[in-house]
Every structure is written in structure tokens, then in C-alpha cells.
Amino acid sequence: MSEANSEEAVQIQQTHTPLLSGLPDDIALFCLARVPRRYHTLLKCVSKRWRDLVCSEHWISYRQKHNLAESWIYVLCRDKADRLERACLYVLDPISLKRCWKLVPSLPDQCLKRKGMAFEVLGNKVCLLGGCGWFEDATDEVYCYDASRNTWDSAAPLSTARCYFACEALNEKLYAIGGVGSNLSDPHSWDMYDPSTNSWTSHSDPNIVPDIEESFVLDGKIYIRCGVSSTMPSNVYAVVYKPSSGTWEHADKDLVSGWSGPAIVVEGNLYVLDQSSGTRLMMWEKKSREWIAVGRLSPLLTRPPCRLAAIGKSIFVIGKGLSTVMFDVSTAGNIGGVMVSSSIPRLAGDDDVICCKVLSI
């Protein structure tokens, strides 16, 4: 047998090597896909084929299709140790027996000292977008962390250099909205990323103002709360994006009136954390069109300013030093006006929490 034929035979043999000896691959996948996510790193060490499987889109779609996907929380922080104020990324497995925050290593060097970066999840990737620094103008750079492979890579750059802007995922696309850009950029613009073409497209709308404070997605629409508009001065200025028309419109005044802090959507219901006096959770009641108080959180457990994340019916309130309080909104009770909750130990430092996102694999 020639050397070329020998190599071909080896490749064919490797192609047909079963995932689990003695089992068809579909049965093996049925078994392996039920291994908890925290052990996936170990699975990748077994063989090249197992590694390729765990890192594949097929693995992710299979786990999601069969309700096996597990949601972890990723938090972008700013570490103030030694006054360096470096950006850092932490992750939490909320169902682990030893629930604790773990540092995601190897954040891109270009991002360490940047401020005003946007942070969003698309598929199985965590994305860091834009930002600026003391000696650096707004940038269009985008970096993505592949949670399956545990690697960082650069991605298609923004159409417009931005910092301190809103970023949301909707209908499997990314939206980068407003913020501060270069002198040549349009302050009323927004960019949309389509992963199918790996490209950004730029748009503009006079209803968008550069000063973005908060954002969320509700009922298939993107809401952004802005600073005071020069053309329409008011205490709260907010607009909503409707994909059906591709336009931005002024948001409902009643809804906006209670949007006084970070917001999260749980099973179609909008919740806002009011931190003006302690920490109080509010919910937007769609039928009565008014804000109702869900309850207050213990001042002994929360360390404002806090951000919100949600998995299922559970809301996670994450404050300085990654102090974390969680509760189920469907069963949360009150004792003396304070909501009953559980907590996760915080870090030793006082890291500022910039943004929280949930990624499911």
C-alpha cells in the first residue's frame, strides 16, 4: 500500500471512530449531552473528536432543543485594585454546589484599560464592543469570547467607532446604539450586526441621542433611556425601536416614568431596580399601566450600584465586589417589607459592576 493510500485509510478510520465504543453516535450524543456544563472542559480532554463535538454548533443546538442548556452569568467589572482600574470578566454557575464567581482569564490586552465598552451575548459568544481610554479615541474594535472553546478572537468591527453606548441582542442580531464617537461620526446613529453575513450596517435616526443610560428588550422591541435631549428637554427621555418598521419612536410615558434604574425582563414582565433610596424592586403592570412595588432588598446584602441578570424566574442583583442576592419573583415573600432572598459570597475587592449578561449552552 502506498503512503498516500495509507494516510487516506487512517483518515477514514478516524472519521468513523465512534464517540463511545459499541454505541451509535446518536445514542452516544444522547448520553454525553446530559453531562453538566461545568464538566465540559473535562470532556474536551478525552479526545479530539469529543473536543470538536463539545465546541460545535450541533452540540449547542442539541442541548437547547432538548432543554439541556445551562445558563451562566457573565459580568463585566472594573477592578480598582492598586488604582489600575482594569476591566475584568467573571462568570457564575448558579446551580453549582459551591456557588462562587470565577475569573475568566486572558481578556484582550486592548480592552483592559478601556472604558465605555458595550457588553452583550450573541449565541455562545460574549462580545466586548467599542470603548475609549485616556489617550485613545472611541474605537470600532469588537472582541468575542467563545464560551465553548474558552478563547478570545477579534470580530467584524463596528460601522462607527463608539464608546458609552447601548448594545442589545434581538432576533439573533446585535444593535449598537448612540454613544460618543469620533468627530466625523453621526451622534444619532445605530449599527446592526448580522452574523449570517458577518457584517455591520449603519443607520441614523433623529430620535436617538448620544447620551445612553439604560436599555432592555421587551416584547420584541429595544428600549433605550437617554440623557436630556436638547430638542425635547425632560427628566426622562426614552425611545423604542420596532423591527417591523425599522424606526425609533418615543416610548410610552407611563412606562418611562418608573424606569429609574437597571431593568430586566422575566417571562415577559419588566422589572426595574430603584436605587434612589436603598434597593427596591418595581414591576411594570401592563394591564393597569402602572408601576407596582415588589419589595425591598436587605441593605445588609446589597452593595449599590447594582446591576440585574435573570435566569428563568430568578433575578440576580449584583453589586460592588460581586455581592449577589437572588430570589424567585414568582415565590418571593416579604418579612417586614424586606424580600426573602439568598446570597452568594462576594469578592474580597470592591470591583464595580458594569454589565451582566446570561449565556446558555
Side-chain angles (χ1 to χ4, degrees), residues 65-78:
K65 178 181 178 181
H66 296 279
N67 297 318
L68 300 171
E70 298 171 63
S71 298
W72 290 5
I73 302 174
Y74 290 81
V75 176
L76 180 65
C77 299
R78 186 157 297 281

Side-chain angles (χ1 to χ4, degrees), residues 236-259:
V236 179
Y237 177 79
V239 292
V240 55
Y241 173 73
K242 299 180 178 180
S244 57
S245 61
T247 58
W248 294 87
E249 302 174 4
H250 296 289
D252 179 87
K253 291 184 179 180
D254 292 333
L255 183 152
V256 172
S257 65
W259 188 5

